[in-house]
Amino acid sequence: MCPYKHNKTRYAILGMLSLQPRSGYDIKKDIEDGLSTFWNESFGQLYKMLRQLEAEGLVVGRACRQEGRPDKSVYSITPEGLDELKEYLTRPADKLVMRDEALLKFVLG
């Protein structure tokens, strides 16, 4: 599989897990609190990708008990996951495509 065709969600997750272990909920909350101006993911996208990354051996999940709540899975990046993240970070970014209706109206006005 060509790494250039990977969904960028995988790298967002690997990057966040490289900083510290997190649950899917924690990842979603961190995206909403800090990255939402340029990156957004649904819970469905996050959990699907976490399962895929775990199947590929790039992250490992462990169940954490919670008082009065169901257990939650907390994920950590593996050395292989860190290698893939580092390789991704060395590649050039995709071309930025910006569509801004207000700017379009300004230019055309």
Side-chain angles (χ1 to χ4, degrees):
M1 183 174 356
C2 176
Y4 289 95
K5 294 186 179 186
H6 282 150
N7 183 321
K8 303 303 186 283
T9 301
R10 74 188 287 112
Y11 302 112
I13 291 172
L14 289 173
M16 295 187 86
L17 294 179
S18 73
L19 301 173
Q20 71 182 45
R22 291 174 163 87
S23 68
Y25 176 83
D26 294 333
I27 293 170
K28 175 69 170 157
K29 180 102 173 87
D30 289 344
I31 289 172
E32 288 174 355
D33 291 346
L35 305 177
S36 63
T37 57
F38 59 90
W39 197 265
N40 194 15
E41 298 293 347
S42 71
F43 278 111
Q45 290 169 310
L46 290 174
Y47 286 109
K48 180 180 177 184
M49 186 56 66
L50 282 166
R51 287 189 298 275
Q52 181 179 334
L53 292 170
E54 189 169 32
E56 294 176 26
L58 303 177
V59 304
V60 292
R62 65 177 170 78
C64 287
R65 295 181 86 46
Q66 300 186 100
E67 189 68 33
R69 298 164 132 189
D71 292 352
K72 70 176 179 177
S73 293
V74 174
Y75 296 88
S76 300
I77 193 168
T78 64
E80 294 81 11
L82 195 55
D83 288 344
E84 182 165 327
L85 175 63
K86 287 177 182 177
E87 192 274 329
Y88 165 73
L89 292 173
T90 64
R91 294 194 313 252
D94 289 343
K95 180 182 174 186
L96 175 64
V97 177
M98 187 172 130
R99 296 176 58 107
D100 186 330
E101 184 182 8
L103 186 56
L104 176 63
K105 287 181 177 185
F106 175 77
V107 170
L108 297 176

